[in-house]
Amino acid sequence: MEKYRSLQIKLTPQRLAILNYLEGNKCHPSAEDIYKAVTKHFPTMSFATVYNTLEALKNKGNVQELKIDPNKKRYDPDISRHHHLICIKCNEIADIHKEFKVELSEDLTAGFHLVGNAIEFYGVCQSCK
Ligand code: ZN
Ligand code: MN
């Protein structure tokens, strides 16, 4: 409980269950995945609670929303800057923690001051090969 105090969202047992499920989770779950997992312990939890909690966490900068899966938004509790590898068959998403030196010349940046980048790599995962 203590470690979540800085989140500045009201902690209910349901929200805590969502936070616990997300902590250290590397699967980049969708709201539906999270709903399925947490309703095992909280059968009365609504999908809206899950979705609203994810939105609150996202707005506070505690989870990243990934839009790289065309079928559904995926959530990533790892808010460090990193890249992703996505399976074009099953949409599994894996992390890539590596700095890539990508340079954009001034004629491409349109006056933007660049602060970062996120690269999506596409491929076929081990189990889909
Ligand atoms: Zn796959
Ligand atoms: Mn990630």
Side-chain angles (χ1 to χ4, degrees):
M1 204 76 160
E2 191 63 42
K3 62 185 169 181
Y4 295 130
R5 194 144 292 160
S6 60
L7 291 182
Q8 296 174 298
I9 64 166
K10 211 172 137 226
L11 284 180
T12 60
Q14 282 95 335
R15 286 184 153 186
L16 207 51
I18 296 169
L19 286 166
N20 285 333
Y21 179 74
L22 281 173
E23 182 164 307
N25 191 313
K26 303 248 181 253
C27 302
H28 306 90
S30 65
E32 290 83 2
D33 296 332
I34 298 164
Y35 175 69
K36 263 184 221 156
V38 291
T39 47
K40 279 181 194 149
H41 306 288
F42 290 88
T44 57
M45 182 160 6
S46 69
F47 182 74
T49 299
V50 173
Y51 190 79
N52 293 339
T53 301
L54 289 169
E55 283 297 296
L57 290 170
K58 184 187 85 181
N59 292 335
K60 301 276 183 200
N62 297 111
V63 297
Q64 311 191 41
E65 180 186 288
L66 304 179
K67 297 189 176 85
I68 55 183
D69 179 347
N71 302 311
K72 53 199 168 184
K73 286 187 217 168
R74 307 271 291 256
Y75 294 89
D76 192 343
D78 182 353
I79 53 164
S80 71
R81 207 168 270 160
H82 62 282
H83 309 286
H84 290 109
L85 181 57
I86 181 164
C87 175
I88 55 171
K89 295 206 167 155
C90 70
N91 292 327
E92 181 184 313
I93 300 172
D95 288 330
I96 298 176
H97 284 277
K98 180 181 167 28
E99 290 267 348
F100 296 99
K101 201 150 174 55
V102 183
E103 305 258 356
L104 288 183
S105 56
E106 251 172 54
D107 56 317
L108 293 172
T109 56
F112 274 58
H113 166 67
L114 298 185
V115 292
N117 60 52
I119 304 174
E120 292 156 22
F121 294 87
Y122 293 89
V124 180
C125 79
Q126 197 86 23
S127 34
C128 292
K129 250 190 318 210

